Amino acid sequence: MALLIALLLVTSWSYRNKIWYGLPYALKYYLLIRRLRREIKDAYFQSEYEFANHLVILPKIKIIFDNNYFRTSGKVFIKSSIKFDSKLEDLRIDSALKGYVSERQYLSQDRNWYIYEFIDLKSNNQIEIKSVNELVDWSSKTTDDYALRLDERTTVPFHI
């Protein structure tokens, strides 16, 4: 019976942390979600008292990495609701994302999720360009005649 319960717990943990992407991914996902939940809980987002017990209600949290293998950037989705809206608007999650920095935050188009984009601190290295030809080659990788490449991830279109 204990073996069956242990197997059920391992299976549910594996499913919840997306083990099909690999064990390193599942561990990173688990640690980030755990830190986010702990930070939100410590901020007392929504407190309730039930039978002299202090409960903290946490919103639903999802993390999606842009590349599941390298995990250098991604997005944190936190479910919005009337209870959490004002607190989520001012929320800074940088301290909970160990090794990552939150670059920007916004609401999804359906207004149901707060989205926080993050990037790995180590991937924020400056590129070194030694000649004009290297600059032209680098800038034309992700652009056309009507866009400007600013860095490894950002390309700005020109509007006429």
Side-chain angles (χ1 to χ4, degrees), residues 22-129:
L23 187 59
Y25 177 94
L27 290 173
K28 178 66 105 176
Y29 186 88
Y30 168 73
L31 291 173
L32 283 175
I33 291 285
R34 190 180 81 179
R35 270 191 225 108
L36 281 167
R37 291 176 63 82
R38 184 183 306 140
E39 292 287 332
I40 290 172
K41 181 182 75 93
D42 290 345
Y44 293 108
F45 250 55
Q46 180 68 28
S47 298
E48 287 186 1
Y49 291 95
E50 182 177 299
F51 304 115
N53 292 325
H54 185 92
L55 304 173
V56 178
I57 299 171
L58 298 174
K60 184 176 180 172
I61 301 171
K62 296 189 304 186
I63 297 176
I64 297 176
F65 290 103
D66 294 337
N67 184 325
N68 291 330
Y69 181 73
F70 294 112
R71 297 179 298 281
T72 56
S73 62
K75 296 176 184 167
V76 174
F77 293 81
I78 301 179
K79 184 77 170 166
S80 179
S81 69
I82 293 173
K83 292 186 270 185
F84 303 130
D85 189 53
S86 63
K87 289 190 177 187
L88 285 173
E89 196 169 309
D90 299 328
L91 183 66
R92 302 287 178 251
I93 63 171
D94 291 330
S95 62
L97 296 173
K98 188 175 181 182
Y100 294 96
V101 174
S102 176
E103 287 194 316
R104 63 182 173 164
Q105 70 183 44
Y106 52 91
L107 273 169
S108 63
Q109 287 186 346
D110 61 2
R111 317 292 275 179
N112 287 333
W113 296 90
Y114 273 89
I115 302 171
Y116 302 86
E117 292 184 2
F118 62 88
I119 184 171
D120 189 359
L121 288 172
K122 297 174 192 164
S123 69
N124 210 3
N125 296 333
Q126 186 173 359
I127 188 168
E128 184 177 339
I129 298 174

Side-chain angles (χ1 to χ4, degrees), residues 1-13:
M1 186 64 169
L3 185 62
L4 182 65
I5 292 172
L7 183 65
L8 183 65
L9 288 173
V10 168
T11 304
S12 67
W13 183 92

